[in-house]
Amino acid sequence: TNIDTTSIPTGSVALPIESLVPTVTNIDTTSIPTGSIAPPNESLVPTVANIEITSSPTGPTSSVEDPGVDDSIVTLTPTDYIGCMKVNGVDDESELTLSTCNASDPMQQFKFIGEQVQLVADPTKCLQAGSIPAPESGKKIRIFECDADEALQKFSWDAPDGALTLVDWPDFAVVFRGTTANVNVDPIILGDLNDDGVFDRKGWSVLL
């Protein structure tokens, strides 16, 4: 606004208005008039603050068999909530809880080995969705001796929403119990994605 075009020499081509706006790159500070205050260099660099990264650089994989995640140690956090998945012991049938995140805690560290989710604190133990032949909504996720033939230990990590579902029953996903995240309280359970509220809690990301 208020551009004096009378000073443009005859025959010159007036530039579009947006081209008159200086960019923050290639600024020649030698042309600043004497007596002017040059802004500090750091003020020319945009800053990014208070960004919490809760997902892996590549995001959830399309399957736990993806070589980018397979055999890597990960700590899992609900994508849209606080807290992390933690195993409460190394004995068979030990439960899992949504707990305060600590990526260095081996009880919060897991490996995806094939279709199984293995506990780093005891590599002989894997996540299992209950102990009956077929899954049931609301059943607590527990650890048992790893058994590659056990269908309740076979999980798929689906992209792009991060749902950790059973391979043979893809409508069942690993979630925390409740509609809000109650850290150090909510158990990790199996939820039916067709039930109200479960779909919104299905996503898991890698805590960095």
Side-chain angles (χ1 to χ4, degrees), residues 141-161:
I141 304 297
R142 303 174 186 268
I143 60 167
F144 287 85
E145 288 290 325
C146 294
D147 180 356
D149 295 324
E150 173 56 69
L152 294 173
Q153 290 187 15
K154 296 180 179 180
F155 295 92
S156 175
W157 198 1
D158 297 326
D161 56 18

Side-chain angles (χ1 to χ4, degrees), residues 1-40:
T1 60
N2 300 323
I3 296 176
D4 183 8
T5 59
T6 60
S7 61
I8 300 175
T10 304
S12 299
V13 178
L15 297 175
I17 290 176
E18 57 268 21
S19 68
L20 301 177
V21 180
T23 61
V24 294
T25 57
N26 302 321
I27 294 178
D28 181 7
T29 58
T30 61
S31 62
I32 299 176
T34 304
S36 299
I37 300 176

Side-chain angles (χ1 to χ4, degrees), residues 12-93:
S12 299
V13 178
L15 297 175
I17 290 176
E18 57 268 21
S19 68
L20 301 177
V21 180
T23 61
V24 294
T25 57
N26 302 321
I27 294 178
D28 181 7
T29 58
T30 61
S31 62
I32 299 176
T34 304
S36 299
I37 300 176
N41 290 338
E42 58 267 25
S43 68
L44 302 178
V45 181
T47 59
V48 180
N50 300 323
I51 292 182
E52 180 181 0
I53 301 174
T54 57
S55 60
S56 63
T58 56
T61 61
S62 58
S63 168
V64 293
E65 296 181 273
D66 188 294
V69 167
D70 193 43
D71 205 32
S72 297
I73 296 176
V74 297
T75 297
L76 299 175
T77 179
T79 303
D80 298 318
Y81 300 88
I82 60 173
C84 287
M85 187 185 299
K86 179 179 180 177
V87 180
N88 298 324
V90 294
D91 295 330
D92 276 0
E93 301 190 34

